């Protein structure tokens, strides 16, 4: 049974597109100035926006295809451009790690831990995020045979 975590096409992914479009609109005055400074900052602004748009347009997704883990990068979430495989023997356990934030909700990460580490998914550390993460971790543990270490069992 394939298990997939994808960030593309989720609401936050579309919000990021609107933020990029707003930043492009906001930077228009940098292009209209005749001074060197305007041209330099305009070039810098739109180069950074082009980089951010490239990163937005190539989201990654992680999955289990029944025999091995994979991470693939897809153009706009649809066309696979690059895929990397990870054998399950490289991992010892499945972890949920919570990262504290000074402002806003914490982040919750689903991590495959072993000789290598693979971040399989991430959520906001809300009740719903914990429920989704635990459900996916339990499904991965059942499908792969890797033990699922509960958040208090992360030693070792």
């Amino acid at each position: 049974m394939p298990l997939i975590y994808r960030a593309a096409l989720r609401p936050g992914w579309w919000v990021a597109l609107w933020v990029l479009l707003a930043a492009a609109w906001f930077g228009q005055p940098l292009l209209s100035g005749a001074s060197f400074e305007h041209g330099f900052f305009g070039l810098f602004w739109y180069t950074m926006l082009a980089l951010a748009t490239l990163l937005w347009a190539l989201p990654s997704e992680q999955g289990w295809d029944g025999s091995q883990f994979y991470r693939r990068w897809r153009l706009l979430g649809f066309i696979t451009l690059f895929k990397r495989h990870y054998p399950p023997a490289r991992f010892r356990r499945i972890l949920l790690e919570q990262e504290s934030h000074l402002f806003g909700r914490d982040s919750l990460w689903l991590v495959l831990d072993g000789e290598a580490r693979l971040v399989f998914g991430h959520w906001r550390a809300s009740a719903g995020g914990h429920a989704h993460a635990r459900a996916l971790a339990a499904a991965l543990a059942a499908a792969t045979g890797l033990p699922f270490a509960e958040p208090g069992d992360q030693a070792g």
Side-chain angles (χ1 to χ4, degrees), residues 86-133:
Y86 303 92
R90 294 183 69 187
F91 306 106
R92 289 189 325 259
R93 60 188 176 164
I94 300 169
L95 297 174
L96 286 180
E97 295 180 352
Q98 188 164 334
E99 178 184 4
S100 299
H101 294 296
L102 193 55
F103 301 105
R105 288 207 172 116
D106 296 349
S107 294
L108 185 64
W109 303 89
L110 176 60
V111 179
L112 304 172
D113 188 37
E115 72 179 54
R117 286 175 57 92
L118 175 67
V119 173
F120 198 85
H122 67 281
W123 298 265
R124 292 183 71 182
S126 62
H130 276 280
H132 286 285

Side-chain angles (χ1 to χ4, degrees), residues 41-117:
F41 288 121
L43 177 65
F44 176 76
W45 182 262
Y46 283 102
T47 301
M48 293 299 108
L49 281 178
L51 177 63
T53 303
L54 178 67
L55 293 174
W56 174 85
L58 296 173
S60 68
E61 69 180 33
Q62 294 68 240
W64 167 258
D65 63 8
S67 62
Q68 58 188 348
F69 295 101
Y70 64 85
R71 175 175 281 156
R72 62 183 170 192
W73 289 265
R74 306 181 87 189
L75 180 62
L76 299 176
F78 295 108
I79 301 168
T80 300
L81 299 178
F82 181 72
K83 188 173 185 177
R84 187 165 180 195
H85 296 278
Y86 303 92
R90 294 183 69 187
F91 306 106
R92 289 189 325 259
R93 60 188 176 164
I94 300 169
L95 297 174
L96 286 180
E97 295 180 352
Q98 188 164 334
E99 178 184 4
S100 299
H101 294 296
L102 193 55
F103 301 105
R105 288 207 172 116
D106 296 349
S107 294
L108 185 64
W109 303 89
L110 176 60
V111 179
L112 304 172
D113 188 37
E115 72 179 54
R117 286 175 57 92

